[in-house]
Amino acid sequence: MSEVTLRMEPPLAWVLLNRPEKHNALTPSMADGLVEFLGRLSTDSDVRVVMLAGEGRSFCAGADVSRLAQFKPADAVRFHRKLNLVCWAIRSCMKPVVAVLHGYALGGGLEIAEWADIRIAADNAKIGQPEVNIGLNGGAGGTIMLPRLVGRGVASYLAMTGEIVDAQYALSVGLVDLVVDACSLMDKARELGLKLASKPPEALWAIKQALSRFDEMSSWAGLEYEASLFGHLFSEEETRRRFDEFLKR
């Protein structure tokens, strides 16, 4: 079974994280699949909007900790750089990308969503960047995009405490853009996608470029620095201890 699937509903395309039994926890192969689909859809003339969502009970609970725990520093950097490519594929996609959040949207899952153009969340979503609790910094551009969305103070609070917040708090600080009843999330997300698809694609692309141009001048350097920090932390005894504690729960 593919860990990332594609469902075409022209003018929408749904890119779906597909490890529901693991709350769609991220793996290197999932990162590869996301990059492949996003690259293909960017130039697909039948697609106006890309919808990024998760199968099952959650959008994405972050990276698969059971796999992370086996990483050496070089493995961690390689994985982070795969996630860097996902972030960049979302940012550089020629179509608007809408992240549809439900259940857990944590760690690398939330961080990927932060690179989307718009985030819509179910009212029962649990949102946060809890990597600090296992001795890590953000693993998918989180420390790059989070302060750009919510400001440095709120970003510091969320990243340094590892607090998991509800959708209404996320909305109040600008981390998500819309909150809807969980029962109607997919319908409301589809309505949003179709509304975007009704706009001139060239105008949407121009708006996306204009909004992101300034950030892109320094984002890649930031991603690379974050990757080096991520890898370094895998050499820390405290990180290993926290991995062990997490896996014994």
Side-chain angles (χ1 to χ4, degrees), residues 54-205:
E55 296 280 18
R57 294 171 292 166
S58 293
F59 172 70
C60 177
D64 189 329
V65 176
S66 65
R67 298 195 186 191
L68 284 184
Q70 307 303 315
F71 282 2
K72 294 180 171 59
D75 301 321
V77 172
R78 278 193 292 271
F79 181 45
H80 194 297
R81 286 179 173 153
K82 282 180 178 286
L83 296 177
N84 289 356
L85 294 176
V86 176
C87 298
W88 213 250
I90 294 170
R91 175 55 68 91
S92 61
C93 182
M94 297 178 69
K95 316 296 169 62
V97 178
V98 177
V100 183
L101 311 182
H102 74 291
Y104 293 121
L106 302 176
L110 174 62
E111 291 155 17
I112 287 171
E114 289 169 4
W115 291 79
D117 299 294
I118 298 173
R119 285 157 297 283
I120 180 172
D123 57 3
N124 63 357
K126 301 299 181 185
I127 296 169
Q129 292 186 194
E131 291 97 330
V132 67
N133 294 324
I134 54 170
L136 296 176
N137 64 315
T143 53
I144 309 306
M145 281 305 294
L146 185 61
R148 295 175 182 176
L149 293 173
V150 303
R152 182 165 179 174
V154 175
S156 296
Y157 170 73
L158 292 173
M160 290 181 176
T161 66
E163 186 85 9
I164 296 173
V165 301
D166 61 28
Q168 287 298 332
Y169 176 87
L171 178 66
S172 73
V173 298
L175 186 50
V176 302
D177 306 300
L178 295 165
V179 173
V180 300
D181 186 87
C183 295
S184 62
L185 174 65
M186 299 310 290
D187 289 339
K188 294 296 185 182
R190 186 173 284 104
E191 287 178 16
L192 172 60
L194 292 173
K195 183 175 184 178
L196 291 169
S198 72
K199 310 302 181 184
E202 297 83 0
L204 291 175
W205 172 236

Side-chain angles (χ1 to χ4, degrees), residues 28-51:
S29 63
M30 290 174 79
D32 292 339
L34 286 167
V35 171
E36 177 186 349
F37 284 137
L38 287 162
R40 184 193 310 174
L41 295 171
S42 184
T43 57
D44 188 327
S45 60
D46 292 329
V47 174
R48 293 288 187 91
V49 180
V50 177
M51 311 295 290

Side-chain angles (χ1 to χ4, degrees), residues 163-248:
E163 186 85 9
I164 296 173
V165 301
D166 61 28
Q168 287 298 332
Y169 176 87
L171 178 66
S172 73
V173 298
L175 186 50
V176 302
D177 306 300
L178 295 165
V179 173
V180 300
D181 186 87
C183 295
S184 62
L185 174 65
M186 299 310 290
D187 289 339
K188 294 296 185 182
R190 186 173 284 104
E191 287 178 16
L192 172 60
L194 292 173
K195 183 175 184 178
L196 291 169
S198 72
K199 310 302 181 184
E202 297 83 0
L204 291 175
W205 172 236
I207 291 167
K208 181 168 181 170
Q209 285 290 91
L211 289 172
S212 62
R213 185 174 180 83
F214 176 76
D215 288 344
E216 287 180 358
M217 298 301 290
S218 59
S219 291
W220 185 253
L223 286 167
E224 284 295 294
Y225 181 61
E226 188 183 66
S228 67
L229 292 174
F230 189 72
H232 169 74
L233 288 168
F234 277 76
S235 65
E236 295 293 320
E237 290 184 9
E238 177 69 8
T239 300
R240 292 296 176 185
R241 182 182 68 79
R242 287 173 177 263
F243 270 130
D244 290 341
E245 289 177 354
F246 184 94
L247 294 171
K248 289 175 182 175

